[in-house]
Amino acid sequence: MRDIKINNQEVLDILNDYKDWLIPKYYNGDMDRDLKCKCPDHIREDWISDEYLQRQIAEGRGHDGYPPSMRSYTGTMPDSGVEGLESRPGSAAPYRDKTLEMNTKLMQQLSARKNSLATLYPPGGWIAWHNNANVPGYNVLFSWSETGDGWFDYWDIKKKERVHMPDVKGWQCKMGYFGSYDEPERLCYHAASTECLRISVAYVFAAPFQVSGEGIWQDVIDDIEENW
């Protein structure tokens, strides 16, 4: 994983438009009315600890790649429906539609293949250790932190060590490659946690083994870092 400086103002404008629409809905209560917050009974440390990471690694292919626990709001993914939310007075549809609007602009700008995450973590939120082996490829991860009081960690499979990447206030970008189980040397277990509001938006660029993937990925890095 590597940090990428976001200098492209068009990318920042798209991200800020999404953030400026989403964050007020948390503070005015709309989000708690319209959506659910996942895993309300889970204990954060159970899912982000070194011990849990090692259990996930030892599980091998028994881990399906998805995060098994995630304290964040449902309904913000572009493929979100309203199943399970029918009894609530609000609707998840505007959140899904706003993400779709952002996706249309960012995926065109960055030539991304698909969106893999779009969510808001509340203070105390997290995403458990997982490896995305089910959706391998080159990735870009945008995150916005209200105060910078959070982190993204990954397991360096070659050095056999946990790498800590602290959040900063505002937007930041990380890029890397998440391997499949057919590329064991490129598996990338990762987790995140926050003590403040945190938005995460992620995209996948190329399927594994595609020769063009790395070139596309480097072009995206150049595009994001370019000060147009």
Side-chain angles (χ1 to χ4, degrees):
M1 300 298 298
R2 56 184 284 193
D3 279 314
I4 303 298
K5 180 68 174 177
I6 309 175
N7 292 319
N8 187 315
Q9 191 59 49
E10 187 171 354
V11 170
L12 279 172
D13 288 345
I14 295 168
L15 292 169
N16 279 324
D17 177 71
Y18 185 67
K19 180 260 297 181
D20 291 343
W21 183 88
L22 193 63
I23 295 301
K25 292 188 176 297
Y26 173 85
Y27 280 113
N28 68 17
D30 285 356
M31 195 167 290
D32 283 322
R33 179 197 67 192
D34 299 339
L35 306 177
K36 289 182 178 180
C37 202
K38 300 178 184 178
C39 305
D41 300 324
H42 287 194
I43 298 172
R44 174 169 50 172
E45 188 57 30
D46 290 346
W47 304 97
I48 63 172
S49 66
D50 289 337
E51 292 77 14
Y52 184 73
L53 165 62
Q54 294 305 320
R55 290 202 301 271
Q56 281 286 66
I57 294 172
E59 191 174 354
R61 290 177 180 263
H63 169 54
D64 63 8
Y66 290 107
S69 178
M70 185 174 178
R71 180 71 166 153
S72 70
Y73 284 92
T74 64
T76 51
M77 287 290 287
D79 57 354
S80 294
V82 294
E83 183 180 356
L85 300 174
E86 295 86 346
S87 62
R88 291 176 173 253
S91 171
Y95 302 85
R96 174 201 61 206
D97 293 347
K98 189 64 179 179
T99 302
L100 283 168
E101 177 187 314
M102 174 185 64
N103 277 353
T104 299
K105 296 175 182 177
L106 275 181
M107 291 177 72
Q108 181 177 7
Q109 176 77 24
L110 302 175
S111 301
R113 180 164 60 92
K114 65 174 292 186
N115 174 278
S116 56
L117 182 65
T119 196
L120 176 71
Y121 300 96
W126 71 85
I127 185 169
W129 285 104
H130 64 293
N131 62 18
N132 285 17
N134 54 314
V135 281
Y138 294 92
N139 282 254
V140 58
L141 291 78
F142 295 106
S143 62
W144 175 86
S145 176
E146 188 170 35
T147 65
D149 193 8
W151 51 262
F152 174 96
D153 283 8
Y154 71 94
W155 178 252
D156 187 317
I157 198 165
K158 293 181 179 179
K159 296 181 178 180
K160 307 297 183 186
E161 64 183 23
R162 179 172 178 166
V163 180
H164 182 63
M165 303 181 76
D167 285 348
V168 299
K169 183 177 180 180
W171 286 105
Q172 64 188 124
C173 177
K174 299 176 182 68
M175 298 191 73
Y177 185 89
F178 296 145
S180 71
Y181 284 115
D182 294 325
E183 309 165 274
E185 74 286 354
R186 303 188 77 178
L187 286 171
C188 183
Y189 290 86
H190 53 285
S193 183
T194 183
E195 300 299 336
C196 63
L197 288 178
R198 187 182 198 269
I199 298 171
S200 286
V201 179
Y203 296 94
V204 180
F205 287 94
F209 311 123
Q210 287 186 348
V211 175
S212 62
E214 189 169 358
I216 293 172
W217 187 68
Q218 186 58 54
D219 288 344
V220 172
I221 293 174
D222 294 342
D223 192 26
I224 293 172
E225 292 185 325
E226 184 72 34
N227 189 1
W228 296 98

